[in-house]
């Protein structure tokens, strides 16, 4: 099997709080008896895209010998993302990337629109996506990751700033049997649904929790900062099936046994 950990919406903001929460998650993953094969971070790495925030993220998101792959969200800045996190030349073009993890291909798409909260996959990104699908092994599973959910998630905050024109993405992934799932962030909530006939998993935020329509009524759009940081753990089995477990990581440390009493 392949085990892929997903972090999302870390929102590094130069505070100790969000850094400590990510460090707790990374420590939990490093201490697992069966550690992840890869760690995927699905956007909003920083809160406002400054070089200093990316430097903070770079230090905290160290996976040791576990590869860590990241994509931008609407709070990120493509130039600083590239130069500080990736060590690449400055550019405002979409930060798309593809990675091989054993038989698994992970395609990470930049759905951000510079200066805007909503998402969109541009024509150049679709051209790039089709080319990467054509290059991927014919008999290997594929995960597609992006920040903005391409489907309504019943959040009064997120649904109005979700992915525009999701039908174009649906047409691409629905016709490819190798795509085993779509991973997203943005909603600050663990969500499992179906998009284009494929599992769509939205990873929780390490920073906060955002309620659904049954919890939040506009204009009362608030985050809950009390819960412990959350992550998703995706298992791709030998039949290329996708199973996801969600975990919260206690800031006081993961308990192997229940407390006394």
């Amino acid at each position: 099997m392949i085990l892929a950990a997903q972090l999302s919406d870390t929102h590094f903001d130069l505070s100790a709080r969000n850094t400590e929460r990510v460090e707790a998650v990374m420590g939990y993953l490093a201490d697992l008896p069966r550690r992840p094969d890869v760690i995927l971070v699905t956007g909003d790495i920083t809160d406002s895209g400054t070089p200093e925030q990316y430097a903070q993220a770079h230090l905290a998101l160290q996976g040791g010998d576990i590869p860590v792959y990241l994509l931008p969200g609407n709070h990120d800045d493509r130039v600083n993302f590239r130069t500080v996190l990736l060590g690449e030349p400055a550019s405002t073009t979409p930060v798309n990337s593809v990675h091989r993890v054993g038989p698994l291909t992970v395609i990470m798409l930049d759905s951000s629109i510079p200066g805007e909260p909503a998402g969109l996959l541009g024509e150049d990104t679709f051209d790039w996506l089709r080319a990467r699908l054509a290059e991927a092994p014919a008999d290997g599973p594929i995960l597609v990751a992006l920040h903005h959910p391409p489907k309504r998630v019943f959040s009064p905050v997120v649904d109005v700033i979700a992915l525009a024109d999701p039908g174009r993405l649906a047409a691409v992934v629905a016709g490819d049997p190798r795509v085993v799932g779509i991973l997203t962030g943005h909603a600050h909530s663990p969500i499992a649904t179906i998009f284009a006939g494929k599992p769509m998993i939205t990873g929780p935020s390490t920073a906060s929790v955002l309620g659904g329509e049954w919890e939040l009524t506009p204009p009362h759009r608030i985050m809950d900062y009390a819960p412990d940081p959350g992550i998703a753990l995706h298992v791709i089995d030998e039949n290329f099936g996708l199973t996801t477990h969600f975990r919260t990581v206690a800031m006081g440390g993961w308990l192997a046994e229940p407390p006394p009493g």
Side-chain angles (χ1 to χ4, degrees), residues 151 189-194 199-202 244 246:
K151 180 180 178 179
S189 181
I191 301 168
T193 185
I194 300 294
M200 186 189 97
I201 308 297
T202 298
T244 298
F246 295 104

Side-chain angles (χ1 to χ4, degrees), residues 9-95:
D9 297 86
T10 50
H11 285 273
F12 285 93
D13 58 1
L14 302 185
S15 71
R17 176 191 181 273
N18 287 355
T19 299
E20 290 169 355
R21 292 166 75 87
V22 171
E23 289 174 343
V25 166
M26 297 299 283
Y28 162 74
L29 295 175
D31 289 342
L32 286 174
R34 167 50 163 100
R35 296 192 301 160
D37 298 292
V38 65
I39 298 172
L40 308 175
V41 191
T42 48
D44 280 1
I45 311 303
T46 66
D47 201 53
S48 56
T50 69
E52 294 79 12
Q53 291 172 354
Y54 284 114
Q56 188 180 46
H58 182 70
L59 288 174
L61 290 168
Q62 296 294 321
D65 58 352
I66 305 173
V68 179
Y69 302 129
L70 311 91
L71 58 81
N74 54 290
H75 281 257
D76 288 307
D77 177 270
R78 288 175 176 174
V79 170
N80 294 331
F81 186 104
R82 271 196 169 90
T83 57
V84 181
L85 283 184
L86 305 182
E88 297 178 357
S91 172
T92 59
T93 59
V95 187

Side-chain angles (χ1 to χ4, degrees), residues 190-212:
I191 301 168
T193 185
I194 300 294
F195 171 73
K198 307 297 175 80
M200 186 189 97
I201 308 297
T202 298
S205 167
T206 59
S208 58
V209 174
L210 179 59

Side-chain angles (χ1 to χ4, degrees), residues 122-139:
E123 192 63 45
D124 50 352
T125 290
F126 273 108
D127 290 342
W128 181 90
L129 171 59
R130 294 186 188 96
R132 302 295 80 76
L133 289 172
E135 296 170 351
D139 57 352

